[in-house]
Amino acid sequence: MPALLLVGVALVWALMSAAAQIQCVDAARAGARAAARQESPTATVEAARQAAPAGAEIGVGREGDLVRVTVSATSPGPDVLALSLRASAVALAEETVGVGS
């Protein structure tokens, strides 16, 4: 019985970690879309924060015509089992769409 309980707890922890990683991906994508629309940095971070897991760190940057949003968080659960989760999304800034070289 204890082995089954341990396996069950491990499965729940793995599911919670996977869900937090998906939240990081969704938050990075939401932030990148907001940044590509030329929204303010505050609005961009807020768009990402709404989808991010609690306590996530959000970074916004620009590389030429591309905007990049990175979301970092730790997985839920005990500190011993904590994983570092990270997701990044890139989008083309709208002011550059259709501009010829």
Side-chain angles (χ1 to χ4, degrees):
M1 233 15 197
L4 289 177
L5 180 63
L6 184 62
V7 169
V9 169
L11 289 175
V12 169
W13 172 80
L15 182 62
M16 290 173 48
S17 296
Q21 177 64 33
I22 291 169
Q23 284 180 312
C24 287
V25 171
D26 289 344
R29 291 173 58 194
R33 283 192 302 269
R37 291 189 304 260
Q38 303 304 309
E39 293 187 20
S40 70
T42 304
T44 299
V45 170
E46 185 56 34
R49 191 166 309 286
Q50 288 179 358
E57 295 179 12
I58 299 166
V60 179
R62 182 152 184 161
E63 301 163 1
D65 294 342
L66 301 176
V67 291
R68 178 182 304 272
V69 176
T70 303
V71 178
S72 301
T74 56
S75 63
D79 288 338
V80 175
L81 300 176
L83 296 175
S84 178
L85 307 174
R86 182 180 170 121
S88 185
V90 178
L92 182 64
E94 284 187 1
E95 85 254 4
T96 63
V97 175
V99 176
S101 354

